[in-house]
Amino acid sequence: MIKNILKGIVIGLANIIPGVSGGTMAVSMGIYDKLIHCVTHLFKEFKKSVLFLIPIFLGAGIAVVGLTFVIPTMFARFPLQTNLLFIGLIVGGLPAVWKKVKGQSVRAGHILAFLIFFALVAGMAAFGESEGKAADLSFGVLNVIKLFGVGVIASATMIIPGVSGSMILLLLGYYNPVIGAIKDFITALAAFDMPGILTGVGILMPFGFGVVFGIFAIAKIIEVIFVKFPLYAYWAIIGLIAASPIAILLAGELGTITVIAVLTGAAALAVGVIIAMKLGE
């Protein structure tokens, strides 16, 4: 239970950082297949699925709510170390994925899947460094529909290993407004500010419904791919994971590079690798 909450925290944390993939973290910690299965078989295997999903989603919720305030500070003060920590979390999970293809014959299609998805992630980071125009979150029917649609897109990309849902939000111009809405909503709750709470609900509820709908929709598609083309899927995931450190370094701000920053960054990298390997056991 506690271990799954910790895994959920890592996934939730990854999903709020542009360039980092929550799906990749789930793969790194060895729960991606089970996560997809439980989402797609929620009603057929309700008790089993709920017992697995609740601590994962609880941990993700803790990360999103609690660390929305912390992460910007970490990146502002320790950009290199924070980026290397997440690279460590990703790299530490690669051996677990490699076991899925180890000993299997390698076909040209497997290499092609690796190259395509490697290029997809690296390309998104290389050509998507600037944020789109900030979205208008004022309450209105059109904006409610837009928020639902953005939630669907964000969740669909969040659940795909190697693709950063928060990066997609950034490019669409919704990342900072949504993060700001979450902060304002939490602050309003703490102060019991009803107008602020209602404003937050009006923004976050349609976005949240979109996220839930997107997760269920894309999870079913992914499950079919894993059943019919498992080796192609795993080689694609290896390509996504291999490109993720490059994407993080390209998309993230590294700050001033000093000897101390490099040494502490190397330590953060090692900590990330160890955490990912331990959580993946």
Side-chain angles (χ1 to χ4, degrees):
M1 178 76 168
I2 299 299
K3 196 171 184 179
N4 279 344
I5 291 176
L6 292 175
K7 291 179 180 181
I9 289 174
V10 173
I11 293 171
L13 184 56
N15 275 328
I16 63 175
I17 299 174
V20 184
S21 166
T24 299
M25 292 302 180
V27 172
S28 298
M29 292 179 292
I31 62 170
Y32 187 75
D33 294 0
K34 190 172 182 180
L35 186 62
I36 294 296
H37 179 85
C38 287
V39 169
T40 55
H41 292 77
L42 180 61
F43 299 108
K44 290 182 180 179
E45 303 173 8
F46 186 76
K47 184 178 179 180
K48 178 183 175 182
S49 297
V50 167
L51 288 175
F52 177 77
L53 291 174
I54 283 179
I56 299 294
F57 282 109
L58 178 61
I62 290 171
V64 171
V65 172
L67 298 177
T68 294
F69 294 88
V70 176
I71 289 301
T73 302
M74 287 178 62
F75 273 100
R77 294 187 178 182
F78 312 105
L80 179 64
Q81 297 90 331
T82 305
N83 279 301
L84 287 175
L85 173 65
F86 280 94
I87 289 174
L89 287 168
I90 293 169
V91 173
L94 190 56
V97 185
W98 180 253
K99 289 180 183 178
K100 301 288 187 179
V101 299
K102 187 178 180 181
Q104 302 287 339
S105 59
V106 181
R107 298 180 180 179
H110 299 155
I111 302 301
L112 184 61
F114 171 89
L115 292 174
I116 288 173
F117 284 88
F118 182 95
L120 174 66
V121 174
M124 283 177 61
F127 298 104
E129 295 179 2
S130 60
E131 182 178 6
K133 184 180 178 182
D136 174 21
L137 296 187
S138 59
F139 187 77
V141 175
L142 182 59
N143 280 343
V144 166
I145 295 171
K146 283 182 179 180
L147 281 166
F148 178 83
V150 168
V152 172
I153 294 170
S155 63
T157 52
M158 285 174 186
I159 205 170
I160 299 172
V163 182
S164 169
S166 48
M167 177 66 77
I168 299 299
L169 286 178
L170 192 69
L171 298 179
L172 292 174
Y174 277 85
Y175 179 76
N176 285 322
V178 169
I179 291 294
I182 293 172
K183 289 181 180 178
D184 292 344
F185 179 67
I186 295 169
T187 303
L189 275 178
F192 203 67
D193 173 14
M194 285 308 298
I197 291 172
L198 292 174
T199 299
V201 168
I203 294 170
L204 298 176
M205 185 175 287
F207 179 78
F209 281 140
V211 168
V212 172
F213 179 83
I215 287 173
F216 279 90
I218 196 67
K220 190 60 184 178
I221 296 171
I222 291 174
E223 183 186 44
V224 171
I225 293 172
F226 271 93
V227 170
K228 294 191 174 182
F229 311 103
L231 286 177
Y232 288 92
Y234 282 117
W235 274 106
I237 288 173
I238 291 172
L240 293 168
I241 292 174
S244 290
I246 298 173
I248 291 172
L249 292 175
L250 286 174
E253 293 291 335
L254 302 181
T256 304
I257 306 299
T258 64
V259 174
I260 294 176
V262 171
L263 291 175
T264 53
L269 178 71
V271 169
V273 171
I274 293 169
I275 290 173
M277 293 181 72
K278 288 295 182 183
L279 290 177
E281 290 176 354

